[in-house]
Amino acid sequence: MVDGIRTGDERAFVLLLERHQGAMLRLARFYVASEATAEDVVQETWIAILGGINGFDGRSSLKTWMYRILTNRAKSIGVRERKSLPDGALVALEVDRSERAVPADRFLDLLDSSWPGHWRQPPLEWERKSGGRNGASIAQVVLEAIDALSPVQKVVITLRDIECWSAAEVCNVLELSETNQRVLLHRARSKVRQHLETNFRDAREE
Amino acid sequence: MTATDDLPCQELVELVNDFLEGLLDLETRSRFERHLDGCPPCAAYVEQMRQTIAITGRVDATTLSPRARLRLLETFRDWASTGDATLSRVDGQE
């Protein structure tokens, strides 16, 4: 594919572009203040990639190289925009270990004599084929849930579960420890599940 | 003392992600699995998490706006014909 691009093959470029647009946009968006700016970051990134591709020696993977360019661009624009918190601080705020993935009120008190720490009410059954409220598709429900997540949970779950990046790739690009990545992913997935559960319940009651 | 007392449901749900990713140590994993065997609500929860991950995986990725995509194609064409990718560069903005 790199060779295709080097010889000016537009189809090769479009393939690479389409393969990475989701991850690039989501990652850029983590650092900057708007969708429009995220698109500018992606534009700038591709300019730099094309500018450097003839000299790309393959010592790092193409993906690592491309996304390093992107995060550098995104961070400098983000700083220029003077976002309220640098990303490291955002992450630190996030990974407060006392927060639980499932709210404590779903469970009986640990001091309860008969069933300590057991479900107060079991998770609501959900039928796989049902849609959400008002005929929303399941995909829309999931996107809604993801949209409501904090920025760092949103980027982690998007890269892992939608873009299918490995944990190592996510940790590398976002400069997250393995532990923090796990915690963030777990919380994000738990919230999406919760949102689905609520939606299926509401849809049934329609 | 049942298997579920050893690992209360409230603790189990905090471990679900690690379980699904195969990251639990052997001992914790057996406790986890023993708990699931005796606890339908937790088994349902784990199954729902599996489904959540699967459903999320089927969601369409974000795409570039038509305008942004066109701009990128133009950039590529400029670069392919002139060797210069900066012709349609975004100017510094405040």
Side-chain angles (χ1 to χ4, degrees):
Chain A
M1 192 168 285
V2 171
D3 293 331
I5 290 172
R6 281 172 175 153
T7 60
D9 182 354
E10 192 169 297
R11 282 166 314 167
F13 177 71
V14 167
L15 274 174
L16 197 61
L17 177 66
E18 288 179 349
R19 180 187 296 174
H20 289 282
Q21 62 184 333
M24 283 190 169
L25 281 168
R26 179 54 77 193
L27 197 48
R29 186 66 185 85
F30 176 62
Y31 295 100
V32 303
S34 70
E35 300 294 340
T37 312
E39 288 195 326
D40 289 345
V41 169
V42 172
Q43 168 75 7
E44 293 274 313
T45 299
W46 279 108
I47 288 173
I49 289 170
L50 291 172
I53 201 144
N54 286 327
F56 174 67
D57 58 12
R59 243 183 306 161
S60 62
S61 78
L62 181 66
K63 194 165 167 176
T64 306
W65 179 67
M66 283 169 48
Y67 284 89
R68 191 164 296 146
I69 293 174
L70 185 141
T71 49
N72 286 339
R73 280 289 178 288
K75 281 177 183 175
S76 43
I77 291 178
V79 161
R80 239 192 284 152
E81 284 180 324
R82 281 185 265 114
K83 277 194 86 176
S84 52
L85 285 171
D87 45 288
L90 269 178
V91 175
L93 279 182
E94 270 297 321
V95 201
D96 163 25
R97 301 304 180 80
S98 60
E99 190 195 314
R100 292 183 158 266
V102 182
D105 61 13
R106 296 286 312 246
F107 302 96
L108 295 170
D109 198 86
L110 282 168
L111 298 174
D112 187 283
S113 55
S114 26
W115 300 105
H118 282 229
W119 292 90
R120 214 177 264 283
Q121 244 193 324
L124 294 167
E125 257 180 59
W126 89 41
E127 292 149 33
R128 249 195 280 182
K129 290 187 193 147
S130 38
R133 264 180 311 209
N134 305 320
S137 71
I138 298 220
Q140 282 172 295
V141 174
V142 168
L143 285 171
E144 225 173 59
I146 291 177
D147 220 51
L149 295 173
S150 72
V152 66
Q153 285 178 19
K154 198 181 322 201
V155 71
V156 169
I157 196 174
T158 301
L159 292 178
R160 288 297 312 275
D161 292 347
I162 298 179
E163 301 294 334
C164 301
W165 285 28
S166 70
E169 286 172 330
V170 172
C171 290
N172 185 37
V173 160
L174 289 173
E175 293 169 327
L176 284 174
S177 70
E178 198 192 301
T179 311
N180 285 350
Q181 190 265 161
R182 277 158 68 172
V183 168
L184 290 164
L185 182 63
H186 184 35
R187 290 197 190 144
R189 285 172 168 173
S190 303
K191 287 188 186 155
V192 174
R193 187 214 67 89
Q194 174 64 64
H195 195 84
L196 283 167
E197 184 186 59
T198 306
N199 250 268
F200 288 139
R201 179 198 70 206
D202 291 349
R204 269 214 308 266
E205 290 166 7
E206 271 173 5
Chain B
M1 178 133 152
T2 64
T4 53
D5 295 337
D6 181 38
L7 179 63
C9 308
Q10 190 172 13
E11 298 306 318
L12 181 132
V13 297
E14 299 301 316
L15 295 173
V16 171
N17 201 52
D18 287 351
F19 172 71
L20 292 174
E21 307 245 300
L23 297 170
L24 292 180
D25 62 74
L26 215 53
E27 197 218 308
T28 311
R29 203 178 90 196
S30 337
R31 285 164 67 211
F32 192 99
E33 286 170 337
R34 273 204 313 275
H35 180 114
L36 288 190
D37 280 342
C39 184
C42 282
Y45 183 79
V46 171
E47 181 51 31
Q48 285 180 2
M49 281 292 271
R50 274 205 183 94
Q51 289 181 29
T52 299
I53 295 165
I55 294 169
T56 306
R58 291 196 293 269
V59 160
D60 290 325
T62 312
T63 56
L64 291 159
S65 66
R67 184 183 154 269
R69 185 190 160 92
L70 189 61
R71 200 167 63 170
L72 276 163
L73 285 174
E74 282 166 2
T75 298
F76 179 76
R77 288 164 189 162
D78 289 340
W79 175 77
S81 53
T82 67
D84 186 349
T86 63
L87 294 172
S88 50
R89 162 150 251 149
V90 174
D91 293 320
Q93 346 167 301
E94 58 275 285

